[in-house]
């Protein structure tokens, strides 16, 4: 049984009664793996995490998301040719969409310390986060999980020696703040699904 299967089955949302255990959990933070830390932080930010062991599970989970949201035969924003076949298989239009239901994209990396998704112009062109659709489906691999944003920037530098991308940004908030939170000022909350494929 993989690490992700164990984690996915064991994470529960925090309740008011769990504050003391949350404090001790924070102290234990230094001993948990970066994978587990990413999943904890990502879910805390309101993201929807779907673990997939193979590409068939990715396709199946993608179809489940389409069905859950009634997105079949709708328009989609997608800039990456390698993802077009998934859209074509489900009769989704991606050529110059006027009113896309969601964005389908890969990402540069997953940032463990803040549970965020790191993008560049390779996935979202020059669009700013608030210009993207509210609904986003991300395809990523477990090998893309890194500890800090600085690690993500280093990985981008190493990956693109010549054709260096622009518009490097993260999306961190995946649900509207229940109360006014100054840390979310200027950011737009996204309804984000992460299809995470085991590749290690």
């Amino acid at each position: 049984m993989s690490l992700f299967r164990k984690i996915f089955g064991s994470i529960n949302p925090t309740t008011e009664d769990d504050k003391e255990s949350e404090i001790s959990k924070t102290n234990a933070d230094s001993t948990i793996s970066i994978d587990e830390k990413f999943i904890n932080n990502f879910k805390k930010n309101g993201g929807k995490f779907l673990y997939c062991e193979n590409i068939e599970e990715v396709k199946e989970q993608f179809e489940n998301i389409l069905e859950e949201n009634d997105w079949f035969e709708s328009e989609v924003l997608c800039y990456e040719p390698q993802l077009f076949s998934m859209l074509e298989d489900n009769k989704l239009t991606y050529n110059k969409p006027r009113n896309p239901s969601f964005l389908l994209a890969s990402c540069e990396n997953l940032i463990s310390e803040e549970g965020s998704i790191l993008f560049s112009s390779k996935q979202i062109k020059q669009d700013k986060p608030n210009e993207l659709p509210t609904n986003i489906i991300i395809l990523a691999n477990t090998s893309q999980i890194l500890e800090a944003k600085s690690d993500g920037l280093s990985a981008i530098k190493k990956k693109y020696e010549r054709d260096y991308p622009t518009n490097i940004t993260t999306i961190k908030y995946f649900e509207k703040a229940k109360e006014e939170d100054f840390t979310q000022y200027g950011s737009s909350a996204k309804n984000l699904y992460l299809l995470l494929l085991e590749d290690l």
Side-chain angles (χ1 to χ4, degrees):
M1 180 182 274
S2 85
L3 167 70
F4 282 95
R5 188 67 75 193
K6 290 178 194 168
I7 295 167
F8 188 56
S10 67
I11 297 172
N12 295 317
T14 310
T15 63
E16 287 295 313
D17 300 333
D18 292 336
K19 283 191 176 173
E20 283 183 22
S21 65
E22 188 65 35
I23 292 165
S24 62
K25 193 172 138 191
T26 305
N27 295 338
D29 244 9
S30 56
T31 61
I32 64 171
S33 70
I34 65 166
D35 304 338
E36 192 173 349
K37 189 174 176 184
F38 169 76
I39 293 166
N40 284 333
N41 290 333
F42 177 77
K43 290 179 112 185
K44 206 181 288 179
N45 292 343
K48 298 175 183 81
F49 167 79
L50 298 158
Y51 170 74
C52 305
E53 289 185 346
N54 52 53
I55 198 68
E56 286 73 31
E57 279 189 28
V58 169
K59 290 177 181 174
E60 185 184 326
Q61 293 289 10
F62 180 64
E63 287 175 17
N64 290 341
I65 294 168
L66 296 179
E67 190 175 343
E68 178 187 320
N69 294 284
D70 195 21
W71 286 338
F72 285 107
E73 298 183 24
S74 61
E75 293 185 312
V76 179
L77 182 63
C78 182
Y79 295 118
E80 299 169 84
Q82 71 271 21
L83 301 179
F84 290 168
S85 63
M86 276 180 76
L87 300 174
E88 289 161 359
D89 291 347
N90 291 287
K91 297 181 174 66
L92 296 163
T93 309
Y94 55 86
N95 191 13
K96 296 181 183 171
R98 289 171 181 257
N99 188 23
S101 298
F102 64 93
L103 166 73
L104 176 66
S106 63
C107 64
E108 292 297 341
N109 292 106
L110 306 170
I111 308 303
S112 179
E113 71 177 1
E114 58 182 30
S116 65
I117 314 281
L118 183 66
F119 296 100
S120 77
S121 55
K122 300 291 183 183
Q123 297 87 36
I124 60 173
K125 300 288 186 193
Q126 296 307 316
D127 294 348
K128 300 288 175 252
N130 63 336
E131 297 167 345
L132 297 171
T134 302
N135 303 302
I136 298 177
I137 302 174
I138 298 300
L139 304 178
N141 297 318
T142 52
S143 60
Q144 290 178 278
I145 299 174
L146 299 175
E147 176 62 38
K149 209 180 286 185
S150 58
D151 299 325
L153 296 174
S154 298
I156 289 173
K157 209 172 204 177
K158 195 173 178 183
K159 182 178 175 183
Y160 304 104
E161 287 179 17
R162 290 199 173 90
D163 187 19
Y164 199 73
T166 57
N167 195 24
I168 297 168
T169 187
T170 58
I171 295 181
K172 180 178 176 181
Y173 300 107
F174 313 119
E175 64 183 0
K176 291 246 183 276
K178 290 165 185 71
E179 298 168 15
E180 284 299 314
D181 180 355
F182 77 93
T183 62
Q184 291 192 30
Y185 182 76
S187 64
S188 53
K190 301 294 181 184
N191 176 33
L192 193 139
Y193 293 87
L194 173 62
L195 296 173
L196 188 62
L197 175 63
E198 176 74 68
D199 71 337
L200 294 174

